[in-house]
Amino acid sequence: MSGLTLTPRGAFDARVDFAGVLPGVADVARLPIGYGGCRIALGELFEVAGADDGRVTIEGGSALLDSVGAGLADGEIVVKGDVGAGLGRGMTGGMISVKGSAGAYAGSEITGGKIAIGGDVGERLAAAGDASRRGMSGGVIVVGGSAGSRAAERLRGGVVMIEGDAGEGAATDLIAGTLVVAGRLGPNAGRGMKRGTLLLRSADGLSSGFSEAGEHDLVMLRVLARRSHEIATFLGAGVTKAQRYAGDLYSGGKGEALIVPR
Amino acid sequence: MILNGVEIRDSFAEAFPMIGTRLIITADTAKWAMIAAKTMTGFATSVIGCGCEAGVERVVPESETPDGRPGVAVLIFAMDLNGLKAVVPNRIGQCVLTSPTSACYAGMEGGDAISIGKALKYFADGWQISKMVGGKRIWRLPVMEGEFVCDHDTGSVSGVGGGNFLILATSRLEALTAAEAAVEAMQKVEGCILPFPGGVVRSGSKVGSKYKGMFASTNNFYCPTLRAQTETKLPPEVASVQEIVIDGVSFDAVAACTKAGIEAVVALGREKGVVAIDAGNYGGNLGPFHFKLREIMA
């Protein structure tokens, strides 16, 4: 295994704030991190091995491990387990891979880079943070499992792919960008959606402000499939047609949901 | 220098810097991609009268186009960046946007950005849709047929305009036949276009005129019917001259294209009526790029 490896010395008794633990940080063992209500050196919680070459591996994660990769600009973080809230929050570049599941606000307000989560994610995937008006605005997020409520709320750009199901209120107030849901959509999706695109298997779950606009052969789908591996995977080979729904018309939105049955 | 009985004159083509861009035009069928490409590069033979010089560079196979449909690459050159910024959206708007099933994409990256969808989106009257995926922005403009898709902008390159050579032959048919052979060979060289009709100019010009306000006029030194009335560059056996003008994305591209064309003409040889190859220049004082025929063919 190359790069820096962080192995927990034992189970955590409190939430761990991992913000600031990024590839390229000097003397990571002495880096102060939040642990419950106090700050302690990272080395007290984790055994540190290897040398930093732009890649940090966390051996065995935990749902208590918050803000992993927050603000990442370059390099790679791999978590061989679960993470808590705020995964990659505000990230601008680089790559984060989580083999397990992630908590709430994963990919919140990221502007670039890629996050791949093998398992499920909590609420407000790629969404705007508390008191913030804009969610993720660039980059790619792929969730292998299902997402909690309000995924892609106020999404502003980039591609979010959920291979499983999306919870209630996905794409609420979505501003722009693309949300792909390969599984089932929870109720009230796209409410208040302004622009942007939902790529779905079924219209079930769309809020009542969406209206059908017919089936269309869209050149745009051909282009997106060649520029996004995630969208190409969702569409499948040779698919260029989609059923188009426009919405949220109740709020004057010009967004769309494109239904591409499997 | 004599090659296959054809004299390669000790002359050079004098060319100028131009700024250019490449676009990839696609459509549902190769036929309609070519119609859009030919239309948008029409009336673009000489920057003096048309504001730009443009032409089809090559047919792009489906496997190489941004949407997987049949495509055509076109190159457009103007004298300066502002000129290019004006003609490109105008031509796409009138000739590609309007052409059935077409789409228009950036054909090069880097250099100053030249607007495509950035300028054309307003046609959609507020219904335009932008998608930013893979680091590139595309625009979707709802039209009566469905949607027109295009990239936000394309790159530009500092290129070379006005490379040329002249084919001196013993008859009009032989001069044209040689020119056609040259064009066929030159169209295989990437990075170049031959902006004149079918790639050939039958009315090469000199700078200036006896008439006020005329920037260019017939090149009487190469007009066979004027042999008795004016200084001539034509030997007695030459009855017709055709010119081929080349614009390219670089000096090397224009040089390679020139060489391919002359080689094709030389292959026909004196036997097929080709007497000499010459080139047009202004004494070497106006254009910074000199394509010396004998060096190219050495």
Side-chain angles (χ1 to χ4, degrees):
Chain A
M1 177 63 65
S2 60
L4 206 59
T5 303
L6 311 178
T7 308
R9 294 185 185 279
F12 305 122
D13 296 324
R15 300 202 77 83
V16 181
D17 182 358
F18 229 55
V21 184
L22 300 170
V25 169
D27 202 3
V28 71
R30 304 172 86 174
L31 191 72
I33 58 171
Y35 186 51
C38 57
R39 294 184 75 76
I40 62 171
L42 182 141
E44 289 186 40
L45 290 178
F46 292 86
E47 201 175 299
V48 180
D52 191 346
D53 63 353
R55 179 184 162 108
V56 173
T57 302
I58 301 171
E59 293 281 355
S62 163
L64 296 175
L65 208 52
D66 293 338
S67 299
V68 172
L72 181 72
D74 200 9
E76 184 180 4
I77 296 175
V78 178
V79 185
K80 295 185 172 177
D82 299 337
V83 295
L87 172 71
R89 180 171 42 84
M91 164 181 175
T92 60
M95 168 85 195
I96 301 176
S97 303
V98 175
K99 306 299 179 194
S101 294
Y105 290 100
S108 173
E109 300 189 24
I110 75 168
T111 60
K114 181 171 181 177
I115 298 176
I117 301 159
D120 298 333
V121 293
E123 63 179 26
R124 291 190 161 86
L125 166 73
D130 280 340
S132 176
R133 296 168 61 191
R134 291 178 170 184
M136 166 179 169
S137 60
V140 176
I141 298 177
V142 179
V143 177
S146 294
S149 62
R150 304 261 174 160
E153 184 180 41
R154 292 181 182 274
L155 179 78
R156 191 162 179 275
V159 175
V160 179
M161 165 107 181
I162 301 168
E163 292 179 357
D165 302 335
E168 175 272 334
T172 294
D173 294 331
L174 187 144
I175 301 163
T178 305
L179 170 66
V180 186
V181 182
R184 285 171 302 179
L185 200 58
N188 248 339
R191 195 156 53 94
M193 192 166 148
K194 293 173 179 62
R195 286 185 177 264
T197 303
L198 308 182
L199 285 169
L200 308 170
R201 292 291 181 213
S202 160
D204 294 345
L206 278 179
S207 74
S208 52
F210 278 76
S211 190
E212 202 209 326
E215 188 188 54
H216 301 281
D217 185 343
L218 297 167
V219 171
M220 177 271 297
L221 290 178
R222 299 167 185 259
V223 181
L224 297 191
R226 281 162 180 80
R227 292 186 180 176
S228 164
H229 170 71
E230 292 73 27
I231 293 174
T233 304
F234 173 81
L235 291 175
V239 173
T240 61
K241 288 185 179 173
Q243 199 81 17
R244 186 172 194 267
Y245 287 74
D248 179 354
L249 303 181
Y250 288 167
S251 56
K254 290 180 178 173
E256 65 181 351
L258 301 177
I259 313 302
V260 182
R262 196 181 299 276
Chain B
M1 178 186 270
I2 308 285
L3 298 174
N4 198 21
V6 177
E7 181 195 1
I8 308 297
R9 288 190 169 173
D10 187 13
S11 183
F12 62 91
E14 188 173 355
F16 298 85
M18 294 184 91
I19 185 149
T21 189
R22 179 188 287 114
L23 300 167
I24 308 291
I25 297 167
T26 66
D28 279 354
T29 62
K31 172 187 163 183
W32 279 102
M34 187 57 82
I35 287 173
K38 292 263 189 189
T39 308
M40 87 87 67
T41 57
F43 187 60
T45 54
S46 167
V47 74
I48 299 170
C50 309
C52 69
E53 298 180 7
V56 169
E57 182 190 21
R58 69 180 181 111
V59 169
V60 184
E62 297 170 16
S63 58
E64 291 178 28
T65 61
D67 60 19
R69 301 188 300 164
V72 176
V74 300
L75 292 173
I76 308 168
F77 294 90
M79 290 309 286
D80 54 46
L81 186 62
N82 285 339
L84 195 65
K85 284 180 172 177
V87 296
V88 169
N90 195 24
R91 283 174 176 266
I92 298 171
Q94 297 303 314
C95 308
V96 184
L97 165 66
T98 56
S99 183
T101 78
S102 71
C104 187
Y105 305 101
M108 64 171 60
E109 293 180 350
D112 289 293
I114 307 296
S115 300
I116 306 176
K118 185 183 177 188
L120 296 178
K121 64 186 178 188
Y122 299 106
F123 177 74
D125 200 24
W127 300 104
Q128 64 268 33
I129 300 170
S130 155
K131 297 296 311 169
M132 180 89 163
V133 170
K136 289 182 178 175
R137 185 181 299 282
I138 59 166
W139 287 95
R140 299 159 56 195
L141 279 54
V143 290
M144 294 197 308
E145 175 207 66
E147 278 186 348
F148 172 65
V149 173
C150 60
D151 272 329
H152 183 66
D153 55 26
T154 183
S156 61
V157 67
S158 182
V160 175
N164 68 81
F165 64 89
L166 310 175
I167 302 164
L168 282 55
T170 51
S171 73
R172 194 163 77 211
L173 177 64
E174 285 162 331
L176 183 57
T177 302
E180 286 177 343
V183 167
E184 193 180 336
M186 295 166 84
Q187 283 173 335
K188 292 172 185 158
V189 180
E190 277 190 34
C192 288
I193 52 159
L194 314 176
F196 281 89
V200 189
V201 195
R202 67 97 170 257
S203 58
S205 57
K206 68 177 184 294
V207 176
S209 160
K210 69 180 277 188
Y211 299 108
K212 211 173 165 183
M214 288 283 286
F215 298 110
S217 61
T218 193
N219 197 344
N220 45 278
F221 307 109
Y222 289 90
C223 291
T225 58
L226 296 179
R227 188 178 273 130
Q229 296 162 272
T230 179
E231 183 190 334
T232 186
K233 297 276 182 70
L234 305 180
E237 66 271 34
V238 170
S240 186
V241 179
Q242 297 286 7
E243 180 176 358
I244 296 182
V245 172
I246 309 140
D247 296 337
V249 296
S250 67
F251 181 92
D252 290 346
V254 173
C257 195
T258 303
K259 185 174 185 183
I262 296 176
E263 279 176 346
V265 174
V266 163
L268 293 173
R270 183 67 182 83
E271 217 173 273
K272 299 283 186 187
V274 182
V275 176
I277 299 294
D278 205 339
N281 61 63
Y282 315 97
N285 298 320
L286 292 179
F289 303 111
H290 297 170
F291 296 91
K292 296 178 180 168
L293 297 181
R294 291 185 178 177
E295 283 182 14
I296 284 173
M297 297 308 294

